[in-house]
Amino acid sequence: MKSGSGPLPRLPGSRLQQRTRKQLRDGGVIAYSTESCYGLGCRPLDTRAIRRVLAIKARPNHKGLIVIAADFEQIRHLVKPLSAAQRAELARYWPGPYTFLLPASRRVPPALRGRHHKIAVRVTAHGEAAALCRRLGTALVSTSANRAGQKSLKTARACRMAFKDKVLTLPGRIGKRRKPSTIIDLESGRVLR
């Protein structure tokens, strides 16, 4: 396992897995551990849930959100077809702490991409986050668990205290990264964060 990976979340066959699936299916929001902090997430094509994430964070709608996945197949439907060279370039960085801006497919709701024509996606190397995506069978919206402009929350306890019953908080351990993922525009190669 890469650095930042922790024990896998105890989801298969458990009540927690059932609750998590129901929360997402019903348009709800979850808090889960990622590389550098806890993240708030939902299903990436669920506009109602995305709006809930934005409201909980008090985040402006125009900024767009990141989507994480266990592998490229989980985000393939969110991006326009890529060339072999582009896929090879992504393979150099993924799984890892690199978020790429890729041309968004028509299926991506405006609430997810904001005012942009691209979508921010990452194949995560964080063991718990990747396992969560794998076990739920879906990529997840992933934005830092905090109100806009405040410090990102680092523990499940802090999330439970901050969000109460607005969010289903999953147990977990964040990775060792101190900073959020690097964001790169694949077309231009420009590093945006």
Side-chain angles (χ1 to χ4, degrees):
M1 255 185 226
K2 290 194 178 192
S3 160
S5 300
L8 300 181
R10 293 164 287 160
L11 288 178
S14 70
R15 287 187 190 152
L16 183 56
Q17 182 177 12
Q18 292 168 7
R19 283 183 63 204
T20 304
R21 285 183 188 281
K22 182 173 179 0
Q23 181 84 353
L24 294 174
R25 192 174 50 245
D26 293 348
V29 177
I30 62 173
Y32 58 95
S33 58
T34 69
E35 293 91 339
S36 63
C37 64
Y38 255 73
L40 293 176
C42 63
R43 293 186 306 172
L45 297 180
D46 188 335
T47 300
R48 181 177 57 151
I50 294 166
R51 287 192 179 123
R52 281 189 175 136
V53 169
L54 294 170
I56 289 166
K57 280 184 67 79
R59 180 181 170 92
N61 296 353
H62 70 273
K63 286 190 168 185
L65 295 164
I66 293 172
V67 175
I68 65 163
D71 55 50
F72 182 75
E73 290 308 309
Q74 288 190 325
I75 53 174
R76 179 190 293 275
H77 65 288
L78 299 175
V79 301
K80 289 183 177 174
L82 301 174
S83 69
Q86 288 172 318
R87 291 285 302 273
E89 181 68 9
L90 292 173
R92 292 180 51 221
Y93 292 90
W94 286 346
Y98 298 94
T99 297
F100 279 89
L101 293 180
L102 303 176
S105 75
R106 288 184 186 173
R107 297 183 68 189
V108 174
L112 181 58
R113 60 180 166 74
R115 66 176 175 212
H116 313 285
H117 296 290
K118 294 181 180 179
I119 182 169
V121 290
R122 176 170 79 251
V123 174
T124 182
H126 184 265
E128 291 185 16
L132 183 63
C133 290
R134 217 175 279 113
R135 290 172 178 170
L136 294 173
T138 183
L140 291 168
V141 167
S142 186
T143 182
S144 58
N146 62 333
R147 301 253 319 153
Q150 295 183 0
K151 287 180 103 176
S152 301
L153 302 178
K154 307 279 188 183
T155 66
R157 183 173 185 269
C159 289
R160 282 191 295 272
M161 289 175 63
F163 305 123
K164 311 277 190 254
D165 61 354
K166 292 181 187 170
V167 170
L168 174 61
T169 299
L170 304 178
R173 284 196 320 220
I174 65 169
K176 300 192 184 317
R177 284 186 60 83
R178 294 196 182 275
K179 296 182 179 179
S181 65
T182 302
I183 299 179
I184 304 169
D185 184 312
L186 183 64
E187 278 183 339
S188 68
R190 208 167 121 230
V191 177
L192 304 173
R193 177 176 80 184

